[in-house]
Amino acid sequence: MSRPLLNPRLAGLGTTIFAEMSELAVATGSVNLGQGYPDTDGPQEIARAAADAIMQGRGNQYPPGAGIGELRRAIADHQRRYYAVDIDPDTEVLVTAGATEAIAAALLALVGPGDEVIAFEPYYDSYAACIAMAGGVRVPVTLRAPAFRPDLDALAAAVTDRTRLILLNTPHNPTGSVFTRAELTAIADLACRHDLLVISDEVYEHMVFTGEHVPIATLPGMRGRTVSISSAAKTFSFTGWKIGWVTGTAELVTAVRAVKQFLTFVSGGPFQYAIAEALALPDEYFRSIAADLRVKRDLMCAGLADAGFEVYPPEGTYFIMTDVRAFGEVSGLEFARRLPHAVGVVAIPSEVFYDDRDAGRFGVRFAFCKRKEVLTEALARLGRLRAP
Ligand SMILES: Cc1ncc(COP(=O)(O)O)c(C=O)c1O
């Protein structure tokens, strides 16, 4: 066949590095700090609630297109409890197959061919692919080490008369930056001035160590132009359940739902019941997420620095970016490929998160959503990097 099989819009976008690194981890018996999923499950009572729902015949058939009422109400209650916003669970909430589907459906709904989408790189890998599927043009604005702050002048300069929306992610994967209220206010002002939409990916909303998580939709002028996205995957450590959600005005949610309907229609019926219960857990649960991760972050930051890495301590999420030049390395990619063989640890090279590969050339990312003894073992192994 002379014509390439893959839709040319997606050419070059499928990164295989996560699969490559996971395979290397298995082949070398490495501690895998590559992909960002926890090695322990979420609360037992929530797992039990999902099992009960299945056995009691709740959610085993197609649930309602927008998600079950219990979950939509729980999402609205959560937004009120943590951000003091009032959302109508009947018209302003949509349950999705993880945040991943929410991002895809929102971009496909709101972006047309030739529309420009500004996103801060490094970015989560589905962003580039979904913008491309929508026929949009991605316009990266680079977060640079050591602080990885949004460059507001660069952002303003990136806006053109073809700009349709800004795709935000705070707390930010992979840098761990938590955008401040002042930064978000500046971004919101820009969006209002140029009449732009915003898609705001907030899946790490409960994993903040420094500062606070501010949903941009709560800032003046933003409610009517923001699609907010979150997910149960990170907050409740059930990444395999793929329960995510969108909140926004009825108009925006209806647009996203029009696409979601033809992607999955619905998903995860019994899990929706369980996540409705999870969202109603007491404040103590939500506080414990960041408190537990903070201990791991501190352990990893200190251990990685001792092992010789330049470390950029994250303000949120469960990722740490590092620089490997102190090891005499000129390529994070080569370093990451060698690391499993050298000492038995897997990490992800930062450059795969960038369009501007040079900006991420010297970095590797470690995930620390693992048991403490796993992190300690990884650090002991990494300590051998500097051994004579
Ligand atoms: C920034 C970001 N958005 C979205 C997702 C996907 O979330 P879900 O598993 O709910 O699809 C991830 C998962 O790694 C992520 O890091």
Side-chain angles (χ1 to χ4, degrees):
M1 204 177 272
S2 57
R3 215 179 114 182
L5 284 176
L6 183 66
N7 179 338
R9 280 182 182 174
L10 289 173
L13 285 177
T15 173
T16 53
I17 201 76
F18 293 97
E20 179 186 332
M21 289 299 159
S22 293
E23 278 161 30
L24 256 182
V26 174
T28 57
S30 289
V31 179
N32 190 349
L33 304 184
Q35 244 170 330
Y37 55 84
D39 61 357
T40 45
D41 288 345
Q44 277 304 292
E45 69 268 34
I46 302 304
R48 169 58 52 203
D52 286 349
I54 291 176
M55 295 317 293
Q56 293 161 7
R58 289 182 292 133
N60 291 334
Q61 307 305 329
Y62 297 133
I68 62 165
E70 288 87 336
L71 178 52
R72 282 184 280 117
R73 284 192 290 280
I75 292 164
D77 289 346
H78 170 274
Q79 297 305 97
R80 190 175 310 107
R81 168 156 53 141
Y82 287 104
Y83 310 120
V85 289
D86 266 319
I87 286 174
D88 180 347
D90 291 329
T91 59
E92 297 184 324
V93 180
L94 174 68
V95 176
T96 55
T100 306
E101 189 197 33
I103 293 159
L107 285 166
L108 289 166
L110 303 174
V111 174
D115 286 347
E116 292 179 356
V117 176
I118 300 176
F120 290 98
E121 70 168 357
Y123 27 55
Y124 180 57
D125 56 354
S126 84
Y127 294 177
C130 292
I131 294 167
M133 283 193 272
V137 178
R138 67 182 184 280
V139 178
V141 173
T142 306
L143 304 174
R144 292 182 194 280
F148 297 112
R149 299 322 313 169
D151 179 339
L152 299 169
D153 294 331
L155 178 67
V159 176
T160 72
D161 53 10
R162 290 179 304 281
T163 308
R164 172 71 165 154
L165 65 81
I166 301 173
L167 176 50
L168 271 190
N169 169 216
T170 181
H172 183 262
N173 172 17
T175 67
S177 286
V178 176
F179 287 20
T180 64
R181 186 176 287 276
E183 287 164 346
L184 290 165
T185 301
I187 296 170
D189 288 348
L190 192 74
C192 293
R193 237 186 359 265
H194 294 276
D195 196 21
L196 307 179
L197 297 168
V198 171
I199 297 176
S200 181
D201 176 348
E202 302 175 17
V203 299
Y204 298 100
E205 61 187 314
H206 288 290
M207 298 175 179
V208 174
F209 320 118
T210 309
E212 54 168 342
H213 173 62
V214 178
I216 195 166
T218 61
L219 299 181
M222 293 310 291
R223 183 155 157 59
R225 60 177 76 249
T226 305
V227 172
S228 304
I229 292 173
S230 195
S231 160
K234 314 291 172 180
T235 300
F236 302 112
S237 292
F238 286 119
T239 56
W241 291 9
K242 297 302 286 186
I243 300 294
W245 51 87
V246 165
T247 56
T249 59
E251 205 186 359
L252 285 167
V253 166
T254 303
V256 178
R257 186 174 167 187
V259 174
K260 185 246 160 22
Q261 183 175 354
F262 301 116
L263 292 177
T264 57
F265 176 44
V266 292
S267 60
F271 298 128
Q272 293 193 25
Y273 286 94
I275 296 303
E277 288 189 29
L279 282 164
L281 286 169
D283 288 338
E284 182 41 38
Y285 172 77
F286 292 90
R287 265 198 299 274
S288 73
I289 303 170
D292 293 351
L293 278 174
R294 181 194 298 273
V295 175
K296 295 179 180 181
R297 175 197 66 163
D298 293 346
L299 174 76
M300 283 299 286
C301 285
L304 288 168
D306 281 350
F309 290 84
E310 183 170 351
V311 177
Y312 306 120
E315 298 169 322
T317 77
Y318 45 49
F319 301 107
I320 297 183
M321 294 280 264
T322 63
D323 185 294
V324 297
R325 271 175 287 184
F327 298 105
E329 279 292 345
V330 291
S331 160
L333 180 60
E334 293 314 314
F335 179 85
R337 284 191 168 133
R338 257 207 339 270
L339 198 58
H341 303 287
V343 295
V345 176
V346 160
I348 300 291
S350 311
E351 69 174 64
V352 302
F353 301 105
Y354 288 84
D355 273 316
D356 176 6
R357 296 243 153 175
D358 274 352
R361 160 119 41 100
F362 305 114
V364 296
R365 185 197 79 174
F366 292 89
F368 56 93
C369 45
K370 310 291 175 185
R371 282 168 292 134
K372 202 166 161 218
E373 57 272 29
V374 173
L375 299 178
T376 307
E377 173 61 25
L379 290 174
R381 293 179 181 203
L382 289 166
R384 288 180 216 135
L385 275 173
R386 284 216 293 211

